[in-house]
Amino acid sequence: MTGLDRVLAALAALAGGLGVAASAAAAHTSGGETLKTAAQFLLFHAPAVLALTGLAATGFVRSGLARLAAAALLVGLALFSGDLALRALTGTPLFPMAAPSGGVVLMAGWLLAAIAALVPARR
């Protein structure tokens, strides 16, 4: 496991933890539906990042593409979930078009994950 793998795994674990915290906050605040969506995205994508990191470390998939996919998912999460959470908790957006930009980066991350799985790993 590389240093990058450790960073990606740690960030995935952080995303999972933030997803749990956002779920709890959504149950107790106004704007709960928006915060709930942010939490769900964090909780759904955290295991995917962990899986991509593990698959990259084992060499089962094209490792560079898998790590890039994992990084894209994390960036997309930060933009999408970060914007939704900030709007729900403070009423202020991260920046204009942050959530849609994050959604596009998330879709790109999933496409990269598919490519990483389909392109034969180097031996």
Side-chain angles (χ1 to χ4, degrees):
M1 183 176 252
T2 69
L4 177 58
D5 293 333
R6 291 181 192 283
V7 169
L8 292 170
L11 290 173
L14 180 62
L18 288 171
V20 172
S23 293
H28 301 289
T29 63
S30 62
E33 281 304 310
T34 301
L35 194 54
K36 182 179 174 183
T37 300
Q40 288 172 337
F41 268 72
L42 288 162
L43 290 169
F44 295 156
H45 287 84
V49 173
L50 289 172
L52 284 165
T53 303
L55 289 169
T58 64
F60 185 73
V61 297
R62 193 67 168 250
S63 60
L65 287 173
R67 290 179 179 113
L68 184 60
L73 291 178
L74 288 167
V75 169
L77 278 178
L79 292 173
F80 184 82
S81 293
D83 186 61
L84 291 182
L86 198 57
R87 285 175 191 262
L89 296 171
T90 69
T92 305
L94 189 59
F95 60 84
M97 300 297 291
S101 299
V104 169
V105 175
L106 284 168
M107 288 184 274
W110 282 108
L111 180 61
L112 285 167
I115 293 168
L118 292 172
V119 174
R122 293 184 187 151
R123 299 283 175 198

